Amino acid sequence: MLLTFDLDGVVMKNPFSTGVFPEVTRRIGEKTGLSHQQILEPIIAEARSRMALGKMVDAYNWDEIVSLVARRLGFTEPIDIAALVRRFSVPGHIYVYPEVPETLEFLRSVNHNLVVLTNGFRKYQLPVLQALGVADFFDAIFTPEVSGTAKPHREFFLQPQKRYPGPHIHVGDMIIHDIMGANQVGATSVWVCHDLPPSVAALPIRERTSHAQMEELVSRGIQRDLNASDYSGLTIASCMPGFVIRSFGELVDVVGMLTQC
Ligand SMILES: [Mg+2]
């Protein structure tokens, strides 16, 4: 079976929020007198505007986005974002989510194909996976700058399907990018929701998505998307996950159920 994985919020925490962006705004701030927020806001706005224009690869090109915004703010020194990612890929700035290494190790041992499907460029994501010691569990890594597309677009999900034909499970934490994206290509979507309400989490895994609270949870998940308004045709049904889990280790039960039937 093919299992594709979102990384951020599922497998790992990356160093952008605590290391990379604070360092970028510190450097630019020293020269321009602008605050962290005054520098970060236009950086995020530039990424969102690229997404809104459908430039799905450019929207994740942080080296290009940061250098463009820095120049607009009057800062002309080069900033190497990939180098900063490597520098901050240390404890305190990155971590692997609980139960991830042992779960990946188990799934690999029973011969599933484990594939990364992330909107982060390879040069930003691989150093983090390597520093956390989990890079070698994966058979392949699909990223926007290589694939020419990104989540939630169908084409991005179809590329690993073509390479590894057969049943496909996608695991992610973002409702539009991961769940709607996977649903539209016939993959079984698994939503990792770390703050799943106890009333839903108490149910057996196969019954959770029938819980009355799920529509509200999915609706809130849609709103959390940076550019939710760009996806006007969305319905709750198209964004309803096949399964919802609160910890990575529960994935073993989901895969078990799907392999039996
Ligand atoms: Mg994510």
Side-chain angles (χ1 to χ4, degrees), residues 112-211:
H112 295 301
N113 289 117
L114 310 184
V115 169
V116 170
L117 193 67
T118 174
N119 279 4
F121 283 17
R122 189 182 177 93
K123 64 181 174 179
Y124 307 137
Q125 300 290 54
L126 188 56
V128 187
L129 290 175
Q130 286 171 332
L132 294 170
V134 293
D136 291 342
F137 289 123
F138 296 104
D139 298 288
I141 298 180
F142 286 77
T143 54
E145 81 285 12
V146 176
S147 296
T149 179
K151 290 184 279 187
H153 288 291
R154 293 171 52 87
E155 295 70 29
F156 198 40
F157 288 85
L158 291 173
Q159 290 185 21
Q161 285 191 354
K162 269 181 212 138
R163 197 185 299 178
Y164 304 96
H168 175 193
I169 299 176
H170 178 72
V171 187
D173 68 326
M174 296 298 282
I175 288 290
I176 297 179
H177 278 193
D178 294 301
I179 306 308
M180 189 271 283
N183 287 348
Q184 67 187 346
V185 295
T188 300
S189 54
V190 178
W191 185 28
V192 179
C193 181
H194 292 113
D195 50 1
L196 193 64
S199 57
V200 183
L203 291 175
I205 292 174
R206 68 165 74 240
E207 293 171 24
R208 288 178 189 165
T209 53
S210 314
H211 192 284

Side-chain angles (χ1 to χ4, degrees), residues 6-10 173-174 178:
D6 172 42
L7 290 182
D8 300 314
V10 171
D173 68 326
M174 296 298 282
D178 294 301

Side-chain angles (χ1 to χ4, degrees), residues 20-95:
V20 176
F21 283 140
E23 175 64 12
V24 165
T25 59
R26 188 191 66 75
R27 287 188 196 176
I28 300 175
E30 265 180 10
K31 284 276 160 65
T32 62
L34 296 167
S35 71
H36 173 77
Q37 260 336 91
Q38 285 173 317
I39 300 162
L40 191 59
E41 270 170 22
I43 289 174
I44 302 303
E46 175 63 27
R48 289 178 69 154
S49 119
R50 290 171 177 221
M51 273 179 228
L53 292 169
K55 297 178 174 173
M56 296 308 285
V57 179
D58 296 343
Y60 297 95
N61 190 341
W62 293 111
D63 276 272
E64 197 182 274
I65 291 168
V66 166
S67 107
L68 181 78
V69 172
R71 267 184 277 122
R72 271 191 217 143
L73 298 174
F75 183 89
T76 49
E77 290 167 30
I79 302 180
D80 186 339
I81 299 295
L84 289 180
V85 169
R86 294 192 295 275
R87 178 176 140 196
F88 287 106
S89 285
V90 289
H93 290 290
I94 60 168
Y95 57 78

